[in-house]
Amino acid sequence: MNTFVIGDIHGSFKQFIDLLKKINYKQHEDKIILVGDLVNRGPESLAVLNYCMADPNITSVLGNHDLYLLHLMNIRKAEGSLKKVVEAENSEEIFKWLIKRPLMLEIFDQETDNTFFITHAGIPEIWPPKKAMKLALEVSSMLQDNPDDMLEKMWGNHPDKWSDELIGYDRYRVIINYLTRMRFVGDDCVLDLENTSKDATTGFKPWFHYESNTHTKKNQYFVFGHWASLSGKTNNPHFIGLDTGCAWKEKLTALRLNDLKRISVNY
């Protein structure tokens, strides 16, 4: 049995199926974990969702575009490439499936004794993995228990840094922003949510440029998507970027966890 983690599909159903064939995915044996952003930008978001929902061995963490889709479905607003999903006959089933996806997964590989922390955008160094998981579960519970308010009030760039004193929707919003939108951070992990390039502005650095080793133990890996302009390159083997620009007609990439091999298909 193999476990594969696959980068941002963004509605590129053909490339997704091509990649499953290339990795020789065995539907009843292997497991597939998606790093979020299953939808939007590409032409076949509905096909991607229906395929994933039909296969119990496929799951995903939530990305910012998935949360946007949940918001549109919740207010029944159909627009752009997500119009078919919002208006689909099984839209209620899709909503129920998608909102139950976590914001973070921890996977332990018995063959290698490696632990993988999987999120859409990453985990800031101010949160040890155990704390990040606790906060992710806190938000997931609120999304499922109170979706109307959460999906309306989760938007915005402020607060732009974490504090244990934060409460209510300010707290939930910044947790979501770290886990699904983060690229660059400054002192105390202040978020720069405006810059989507690969080059930091003055005073900021990529979130995975940690100054301590607390997150980079020998058998510990952080797997993420979201940042297409990196083309998967972090220059640190413990931080593995899997968004290789499929939404921009470049590549879709899978990571096989037992040997850390990356496998890609072209758009």
Side-chain angles (χ1 to χ4, degrees):
M1 185 196 85
N2 288 307
T3 298
F4 298 92
V5 186
I6 295 178
D8 305 30
I9 300 171
H10 277 298
S12 301
F13 184 61
K14 178 186 179 298
Q15 290 70 30
F16 180 40
I17 297 302
D18 287 346
L19 184 56
L20 293 181
K21 291 177 180 176
K22 188 168 183 178
I23 64 177
N24 192 26
Y25 171 53
K26 298 178 178 62
Q27 192 169 19
H28 301 293
E29 298 177 25
D30 299 335
K31 293 187 182 299
I32 301 289
I33 301 169
L34 309 175
V35 297
D37 282 3
L38 284 66
V39 301
N40 216 2
R41 294 200 168 116
E44 297 181 90
S45 294
L46 181 58
V48 171
L49 289 164
N50 284 335
Y51 189 93
C52 293
M53 290 193 306
D55 187 338
N57 281 0
I58 298 179
T59 193
S60 179
V61 294
L62 285 172
N64 53 307
H65 285 265
D66 308 314
L67 288 167
Y68 178 59
L69 171 59
L70 286 168
H71 168 67
L72 293 181
M73 295 176 80
N74 194 54
I75 62 174
R76 295 176 177 82
K77 182 178 180 181
E79 62 181 31
S81 66
L82 297 174
K83 182 179 175 68
K84 288 182 180 179
V85 182
V86 176
E87 295 180 344
E89 291 184 3
N90 65 334
S91 61
E92 186 175 338
E93 179 186 352
I94 293 170
F95 184 90
K96 289 179 180 178
W97 182 84
L98 193 58
I99 204 165
K100 291 180 181 177
R101 296 313 98 190
L103 286 163
M104 176 177 172
L105 285 170
E106 178 179 344
I107 305 296
F108 177 71
D109 184 72
Q110 292 183 336
E111 291 184 26
T112 60
D113 286 337
N114 289 333
T115 298
F116 298 88
F117 302 106
I118 301 167
T119 58
H120 180 60
I123 299 173
E125 64 180 318
I126 52 174
W127 295 345
K130 182 181 287 188
K131 179 171 184 174
M133 180 63 77
K134 182 179 179 181
L135 295 173
L137 289 170
E138 182 181 336
V139 170
S140 291
S141 295
M142 284 299 299
L143 275 170
Q144 294 174 47
D145 294 343
N146 192 7
D148 291 346
D149 282 350
M150 275 295 293
L151 292 169
E152 178 187 353
K153 295 175 180 176
M154 65 183 177
W155 306 105
N157 294 350
H158 296 282
D160 60 4
K161 73 174 182 177
W162 175 252
S163 167
D164 288 326
E165 305 304 315
L166 287 170
I167 60 172
Y169 291 103
D170 282 350
R171 178 182 179 90
Y172 306 137
R173 189 181 309 116
V174 77
I175 294 170
I176 288 172
N177 284 344
Y178 278 117
L179 296 177
T180 71
R181 297 180 61 205
M182 174 175 62
R183 292 184 179 91
F184 295 105
V185 296
D187 292 342
D188 298 324
C189 281
V190 173
L191 287 160
D192 177 2
L193 294 172
E194 301 296 331
N195 185 358
T196 63
S197 74
K198 62 180 180 180
D199 300 313
T201 53
T202 301
F204 291 88
K205 63 181 181 181
W207 68 268
F208 48 81
H209 283 189
Y210 287 150
E211 296 178 0
S212 68
N213 294 325
T214 57
H215 284 47
T216 53
K217 297 176 183 177
K218 181 180 179 182
N219 293 333
Q220 195 163 273
Y221 296 86
F222 294 80
V223 185
F224 66 102
H226 184 56
W227 202 341
S229 59
L230 290 179
S231 299
K233 298 174 182 176
T234 65
N235 298 318
N236 186 325
H238 291 275
F239 298 91
I240 302 173
L242 289 181
D243 187 345
T244 48
C246 190
W248 311 107
K249 299 185 177 181
E250 295 182 12
K251 294 180 179 180
L252 183 64
T253 298
L255 172 74
R256 188 165 58 205
L257 295 191
N258 68 338
D259 60 2
L260 299 180
K261 182 177 181 179
R262 301 190 201 203
I263 305 153
S264 299
V265 294
N266 293 320
Y267 187 85

